Amino acid sequence: MKFLVINGPNLNMMHFTEPGVAGQLDYNGLLDYLELCCTQMGMEVEFFQSNHEGDLIDEIQSAPGRVDGIVLNPGGYAHYSVAILDALRLCSVPAVEVMLDAPDEREPFRKTDVVSFGCQGHFIGEGPQGYLHACIWLAQLLRTDGSTKAHIVM
């Protein structure tokens, strides 16, 4: 099983902390961790990051026939990108959304998540672990009939 992990704007600049773990994990460390965990579970992952909406759309459109599923953290585009939503709906590859933190705890304009309407699952506010949980859930979805929905908010 192969997944495409797509990260939107500014995520390449992030540093992550995990409860109970000393220090911080940078973006490349996050990708290494996710690749290691997925490989151990028999999943292959491919990574893509861009700060440009059109690049994210192009990557989503290239997914059919190349990968089995998409794990997407759209960053700030989550709150207004109908174009990314449309790309997800048109590409016919199941997608799961990841948000590192809970938008409800931030500015009021972040409460609307347009991109979520194109995703079969949502892992919100779990930090870096959300990516791993999304991959596991997506693998389970693909092994079943695909009709399950997930909405996990921490």
Side-chain angles (χ1 to χ4, degrees):
M1 207 167 293
K2 184 174 183 179
F3 299 140
L4 173 60
V5 178
I6 301 175
N7 284 294
N10 300 313
L11 289 160
N12 58 314
M13 300 296 292
M14 303 278 298
H15 286 82
F16 311 98
T17 57
E18 280 294 309
V21 177
Q24 291 188 336
L25 188 66
D26 67 5
Y27 180 73
N28 290 325
L30 170 66
L31 301 185
D32 291 343
Y33 167 75
L34 187 55
E35 184 170 29
L36 175 67
C37 291
C38 286
T39 299
Q40 290 174 347
M41 293 184 289
M43 295 178 244
E44 185 180 346
V45 286
E46 181 180 319
F47 300 104
F48 180 80
Q49 188 278 327
S50 179
N51 295 319
H52 306 283
E53 186 177 26
D55 292 345
L56 299 174
I57 292 166
D58 289 343
E59 196 67 19
I60 292 166
Q61 290 178 352
S62 75
R66 193 175 105 215
V67 298
D68 301 302
I70 297 171
V71 174
L72 170 66
N73 184 336
Y77 290 130
H79 311 294
Y80 71 87
S81 182
V82 174
I84 291 175
L85 166 62
D86 289 345
L88 289 168
R89 286 181 168 169
L90 292 169
C91 86
S92 73
V93 173
V96 177
E97 182 181 36
V98 172
M99 289 189 171
L100 294 165
D101 55 13
D104 288 346
E105 298 172 3
R106 297 183 67 190
E107 302 91 346
F109 67 85
R110 295 184 190 269
K111 291 184 184 353
T112 300
D113 182 355
V114 174
V115 171
S116 70
F117 294 103
C119 296
Q120 286 70 39
H122 312 276
F123 291 82
I124 311 300
E126 292 187 36
Q129 286 295 318
Y131 287 94
L132 184 56
H133 294 154
C135 288
I136 293 167
W137 186 86
L138 189 53
Q140 291 171 339
L141 175 75
L142 291 166
R143 289 183 186 118
T144 65
D145 65 5
S147 63
T148 309
K149 289 272 189 180
H151 187 80
I152 310 296
V153 178
M154 298 304 278

